[in-house]
Amino acid sequence: MPDEMSRPLIRGRGDSRPLEASSSEPGSPVVGILGTGDFSRSLARRLLASGYQVVVGSRNPKRSAALFPEEAEVASQTEAANQADLVFVAVFPEHHSTLAELKPALAGKTLVDVSNGLQVNRDGPSNAERLADLFPESAVVKGFNTVSAWTLQAGPRDGSRQVFLCSDSRKAKSSVKQLCQRMGFVPVDMGLLSSSLEVENLPLYLFPSWRAPLACTLALFAFFYLYNFLRDVLQPLVAAKKSAFYKMPVETVNVTLPCVALVTLSLVYAPGLLAASLQLWRGTKYRRFPGWLDGWLTRRKQLGLCSFLCAALHAVYSLVLPMRKSARFKLINLAVKQAKDGTELWVDEDVWRMELYLSAGIMALGLLSLLAVTSLPSVSGAVNWREFSFVQSSLGYCALTIATVHTLLYGWNRAFDPAQYRFYLPPTFTLVLVPALAVLAGRLALAVPCAALRLQRIRRGWERSRQIRFVLPEDDGRSGEQDISSV
C-alpha cells in the first residue's frame, strides 16, 4: 500500500488541476476547526489530504473563505460546531471565553486544544484545563501544540512525527489518536489532562539539554583564552615592552579553540568510564548512578557537537592565518634574517613535524564530522544499534586518540623548552593533554580482560553480593538467560 504521506497536499483555491485520490469524499468524517490563522489553514490542508471533510468556523466567513482550499467549507462558528463531532480549537487561549455561546453546540463533542502560552507556566492551570472548565460537557484533548504549521503543510518528517496527547476521556483520546495516525503522525499518550501543563511547556523550552554543555564550553573557552592571553600577549608586554595585542582576534582564538575541542571531547567519554568503574566497584548494575553523573551521561551528544564546532572553527582559523598582514610581515623578516645569517631554511625535523601534525588534525576533524552527522536523528534512525554504537564509541575513541596525537605532534619537544614557560606557566597543550590521556588510559584499563569480562557479567545481570551462578554465552554456548534465571 503506498505511503499516505507521499501524496501531495491539497492545492490552494484557484488551481485547476484535479485533486488526489486522498481528498475528502461524501460520508467521510467531518472535522471542525475554530479559527482562521496560519495553523488553521495548514491543518485544514492536512486533514483534506488525509481524506476528512473539513468545516472551518470563522467570525467572518466571507473574508476568510479565500484563505482556505475550495474543498473546505468556511462557515460561521456555530455552523461549524453543529456539523462536526471533533473540533479543533485553534484560537488564542485569551479568546477562549468568546466561544462560550457555542456550549450547546459543542456539548458531548471532542475539543482538541492546540494552544500554547507565551511563557513557561509552572504553576498552572493549563490552557486545556481552563478550556475544560469552560466546556464541562465536552471532552477536551490536549494535542498538536508541538506541531508547527510548516510541519502540517509539508507532512511529518523524522523527529516532527510525534504528537503528544492527554485527556481525561479515553474515548476522545482514542478518536484523536486515530486521526493522528491517519494524518501520518505518531500519537504519544501523555496520560490525563493534568499532564497538559507539561505538554504546553514543551515548545517553550529553549535548548534545556544544551545549557550545561554550552556553559561548560564557554567556561573552558574563557579559561583557555585568558591563559593564552597571559602567556602570548601580556608576557611580551611585561618582559620586553613589546605589544602583541594584535594576536587577540585571530591567533589567540585559534590557539584556544583546539584546547576547548579536545577537553570537551574528553568530557564526552569520561562519564562512560566513570559509570563502568562505579559498576565494577559496586559489583552490580541495579543501583542508580548519582544525579550529576546521570545528567552528564545524558548530555554527551551536546558536548560532542560543541567539540566538533570548536574543531571546525579551529580549522577555518588555521586556514586564514597566512592571510594576515602580520603573518606575511613575519615571514618576510624571517627570510631576510636567515639570508643574512646564512642559516638553512629547510629543517627536516620541522617539516616532518608539520606534515604529521596537519595530517593527524585533518583525520581527527573528519572523524568528528562523522560523529556529528551520525548524531542527527535522520541518520541515527537509519542505522541499527550496533552500527550507531560502533560509530559513537569505537570511532569516537579513535577520534580522541588521533586528536591527542595531533596535540602531541604540535608540542613535539616544546614541553622541554624553558622559554615556553612564560610567567612560569606551562604551555597550553600540556594542560589539555591531561584529561585526554586520562580518558584513554581509563579506556585501556577497562579493556584488560579481567575488568572487561567482569563488567560484561555485571551488565548481563551478575551481582557480587548474591550467590548466583553465571556463565557468559561465549563460555559454554548456552543462553545467558538460563544461567541467571534464579535472579
Side-chain angles (χ1 to χ4, degrees):
M1 185 177 68
D3 185 6
E4 290 187 1
M5 301 314 300
S6 64
R7 301 167 180 163
L9 293 173
I10 298 299
R11 301 175 181 89
R13 191 182 300 271
D15 195 331
S16 60
R17 289 174 293 180
L19 296 174
E20 297 293 331
S22 61
S23 59
S24 58
E25 299 177 357
S28 58
V30 180
V31 178
I33 303 176
L34 299 180
T36 56
D38 293 337
F39 187 89
S40 301
R41 295 195 291 270
S42 300
L43 179 61
R45 291 177 178 272
R46 189 75 256 159
L47 287 169
L48 287 170
S50 302
Y52 289 97
Q53 297 185 67
V54 177
V55 55
V56 180
S58 173
R59 290 175 294 181
N60 193 336
K62 293 183 179 180
R63 184 183 63 181
S64 303
L67 301 175
F68 290 84
E70 59 184 9
E71 293 77 21
E73 179 184 353
V74 181
S76 66
Q77 292 182 340
T78 303
E79 291 175 337
N82 286 325
Q83 293 184 45
D85 291 327
L86 189 150
V87 179
F88 282 87
V89 182
V91 299
F92 290 108
E94 55 266 28
H95 299 156
H96 283 173
S97 58
T98 63
L99 306 176
E101 61 184 17
L102 302 178
K103 285 184 180 180
L106 295 176
K109 298 184 178 182
T110 299
L111 305 183
V112 182
D113 177 35
V114 301
S115 65
N116 284 314
L118 297 177
Q119 58 186 3
V120 176
N121 181 7
R122 302 188 184 280
D123 301 325
S126 66
N127 297 333
E129 290 174 319
R130 292 193 182 99
L131 186 65
D133 293 337
L134 185 62
F135 295 93
E137 297 181 1
S138 303
V140 176
V141 179
K142 185 68 186 184
F144 285 89
N145 64 303
T146 59
V147 180
S148 66
W150 167 251
T151 301
L152 288 171
Q153 282 273 8
R157 298 287 191 275
D158 299 324
S160 302
R161 297 180 68 91
Q162 290 186 336
V163 174
F164 301 99
L165 303 175
C166 56
S167 175
D168 292 335
S169 172
R170 182 178 300 179
K171 181 180 179 181
K173 191 192 301 183
S174 177
S175 63
V176 179
K177 282 183 179 179
Q178 294 176 5
L179 181 140
C180 288
Q181 293 170 347
R182 187 166 174 177
M183 293 173 67
F185 293 94
V186 178
V188 179
D189 193 339
M190 298 294 289
L192 300 177
L193 198 61
S194 56
S195 303
S196 59
L197 186 63
E198 178 184 355
V199 176
E200 288 180 5
N201 286 334
L202 286 177
L204 302 176
Y205 290 124
L206 182 62
F207 302 116
S209 59
W210 281 86
R211 294 178 182 175
L214 286 177
C216 178
T217 303
L218 292 175
L220 288 172
F221 184 88
F223 169 77
F224 284 113
Y225 187 87
L226 179 61
Y227 191 90
N228 290 318
F229 173 81
L230 293 176
R231 297 184 71 258
D232 300 334
V233 178
L234 190 60
Q235 192 272 342
L237 181 65
V238 174
K241 305 299 182 181
K242 182 179 179 181
S243 176
F245 288 96
Y246 68 90
K247 296 182 177 180
M248 294 177 61
V250 178
E251 190 169 336
T252 306
V253 173
N254 188 47
V255 177
T256 301
L257 286 172
C259 300
V260 180
L262 186 57
V263 173
T264 51
L265 185 59
S266 303
L267 293 177
V268 172
Y269 295 99
L273 299 178
L274 292 176
S277 302
L278 194 59
Q279 288 179 337
L280 284 173
W281 180 64
R282 291 174 172 177
T284 180
K285 70 171 185 178
Y286 297 108
R287 291 180 58 184
R288 292 188 61 86
F289 297 129
W292 60 270
L293 181 56
D294 190 54
W296 191 356
L297 287 167
T298 58
R299 287 166 175 79
R300 290 178 292 179
K301 172 184 174 180
Q302 290 78 10
L303 285 170
L305 292 176
C306 289
S307 175
F308 168 70
L309 174 63
C310 293
L313 290 176
H314 170 55
V316 175
Y317 270 90
S318 298
L319 289 175
V320 303
L321 283 179
M323 301 170 56
R324 300 177 305 151
K325 186 174 182 179
S326 58
R328 295 197 297 268
F329 180 78
K330 286 183 177 181
L331 184 62
I332 294 173
N333 284 349
L334 179 61
V336 172
K337 181 179 178 180
Q338 290 180 333
K340 288 181 179 180
D341 298 341
T343 56
E344 179 63 38
L345 297 177
W346 183 278
V347 180
D348 285 337
E349 181 181 357
D350 292 341
V351 171
W352 273 103
R353 181 184 72 85
M354 182 59 66
E355 297 294 321
L356 294 173
Y357 161 73
L358 292 176
S359 179
I362 294 172
M363 293 176 62
L365 180 60
L367 288 175
L368 281 176
S369 302
L370 181 60
L371 295 176
V373 170
T374 311
S375 65
L376 297 176
S378 58
V379 178
S380 60
V383 297
N384 59 35
W385 172 248
R386 185 174 182 181
E387 294 167 342
F388 181 80
S389 178
F390 171 77
V391 172
Q392 295 294 327
S393 181
S394 302
L395 294 186
Y397 274 107
C398 288
L400 179 60
T401 302
I402 296 176
T404 304
V405 172
H406 173 69
T407 307
L408 289 171
L409 290 171
Y410 171 81
W412 202 255
N413 56 359
R414 297 179 185 178
F416 309 101
D417 184 5
Q420 295 293 325
Y421 290 80
R422 304 163 190 166
F423 279 161
Y424 301 101
L425 297 175
T428 314
F429 67 86
T430 60
L431 300 181
V432 300
L433 284 173
V434 174
L437 292 175
V439 170
L440 292 176
R443 182 67 182 90
L444 290 175
L446 290 178
V448 175
C450 59
L453 291 176
R454 175 63 65 90
L455 184 61
Q456 187 178 7
R457 288 159 61 93
I458 290 174
R459 289 177 174 175
R460 292 185 65 86
W462 179 85
E463 293 184 85
R464 183 178 56 196
S465 60
R466 303 180 63 182
Q467 299 298 326
I468 302 174
R469 181 174 177 268
F470 184 92
V471 181
L472 291 177
E474 293 79 6
D475 295 338
D476 64 349
R478 294 182 296 167
S479 172
E481 295 179 355
Q482 297 174 351
D483 299 316
I484 60 174
S485 57
S486 60
V487 176

